[in-house]
Amino acid sequence: FVFEGLMSILNEAYNKKDVRYVGLSEGWCDKYIDILLNYTDVDIQCIHCLRDPRAIVASRNGGSRLHVKKYPLLFILRHWRTTIAYYILLNNNPKYMAVQYENLVHEPELWFKKMCHFLAVPFSESLLDTSGFLNGDGSPWIQNSAFQVSSKRSINVGSLFKWKEVLSREEIGVIEYLCKEEMDLLELERINLEFS
């Protein structure tokens, strides 16, 4: 009931008559994936984007060495580990697909084809040209990045490893120490192995 109400508000806000598919993207909402996948009145599928925890910490806290912290480190890491727990729990659900952001950036065509196949929609080369992407209100979509790195026509690879410049060795060590198991599961290489 709540979901239907939210979808009707979305429909009123954007007033699009020819919509066949609706996609939602929001950080911090992993806990709703299982609930939505079990909602039987609407065909719902989930593509869950997973990202390196070091990049998330660097991005969430402003992307600069100004030491302005928007979120406590443990808060971000607990959420990230919970995200990976949902990935582990849902990975065999046929309506769920996980995509690692770093893989998508490195091989966008391959991963867009996989996502299109999963959603049973045709792949189009236009998915690789971000200059044609639009926000829900019809305005041009601009890639967001805490690092102010932009690419107008393709997926932004510029900020992929910016965390190496932004985070201190100690911050990287704490992240890798607390997220070791999950990073190993995702095959994310740790660089501060001697940290304890």
Side-chain angles (χ1 to χ4, degrees), residues 97-110:
M97 176 185 187
V99 176
Q100 284 185 241
Y101 176 78
E102 291 77 14
N103 294 342
L104 173 65
V105 168
H106 283 297
E107 298 179 286
E109 185 172 349
L110 170 73

Side-chain angles (χ1 to χ4, degrees), residues 3-173:
F3 181 74
E4 290 169 5
L6 292 171
M7 293 306 289
S8 68
I9 291 170
L10 185 66
N11 187 46
E12 286 179 36
Y14 291 113
N15 196 22
K16 307 253 186 204
K17 302 295 183 215
D18 58 346
V19 172
R20 293 183 11 207
Y21 305 98
V22 174
L24 306 172
S25 171
E26 185 58 45
W28 313 108
C29 65
D30 309 76
K31 62 183 67 125
Y32 301 107
I33 295 172
D34 193 36
I35 296 166
L36 289 172
L37 290 179
N38 286 306
Y39 187 68
T40 57
D41 294 342
V42 179
D43 182 20
I44 295 176
Q45 294 171 278
C46 176
I47 297 177
H48 191 189
C49 187
L50 308 176
R51 192 164 184 198
D52 188 315
R54 298 161 296 193
I56 290 174
V57 168
S59 177
R60 290 279 180 207
N61 282 334
S64 69
R65 280 209 174 263
L66 299 175
H67 300 289
V68 176
K69 305 294 185 206
K70 294 179 186 175
Y71 300 100
L73 182 64
L74 286 178
F75 172 79
I76 297 171
L77 297 182
R78 283 182 179 143
H79 175 76
W80 184 82
R81 293 183 72 207
T82 301
T83 294
I84 304 310
Y86 283 115
Y87 158 69
I88 293 166
L89 290 171
L90 296 168
N91 201 32
N92 292 321
N93 186 321
K95 295 173 17 176
Y96 173 88
M97 176 185 187
V99 176
Q100 284 185 241
Y101 176 78
E102 291 77 14
N103 294 342
L104 173 65
V105 168
H106 283 297
E107 298 179 286
E109 185 172 349
L110 170 73
W111 283 96
F112 274 120
K113 285 181 177 178
K114 287 182 179 190
M115 287 186 282
C116 287
H117 177 75
F118 171 73
L119 296 171
V121 298
F123 170 77
S124 170
E125 293 286 333
S126 64
L127 290 169
L128 304 173
D129 180 1
T130 62
S131 66
F133 291 8
L134 300 175
N135 286 318
D137 63 3
S139 64
W141 175 78
I142 300 170
Q143 296 182 57
N144 64 355
S145 174
F147 303 110
Q148 306 301 316
V149 178
S150 66
S151 171
K152 293 189 181 193
R153 297 198 58 83
S154 62
I155 294 175
N156 181 0
V157 298
S159 65
L160 201 58
F161 295 104
K162 275 295 228 190
W163 58 265
K164 290 181 179 181
E165 301 168 23
V166 172
L167 299 176
S168 69
R169 186 156 177 77
E170 292 77 19
E171 288 169 317
I172 292 169

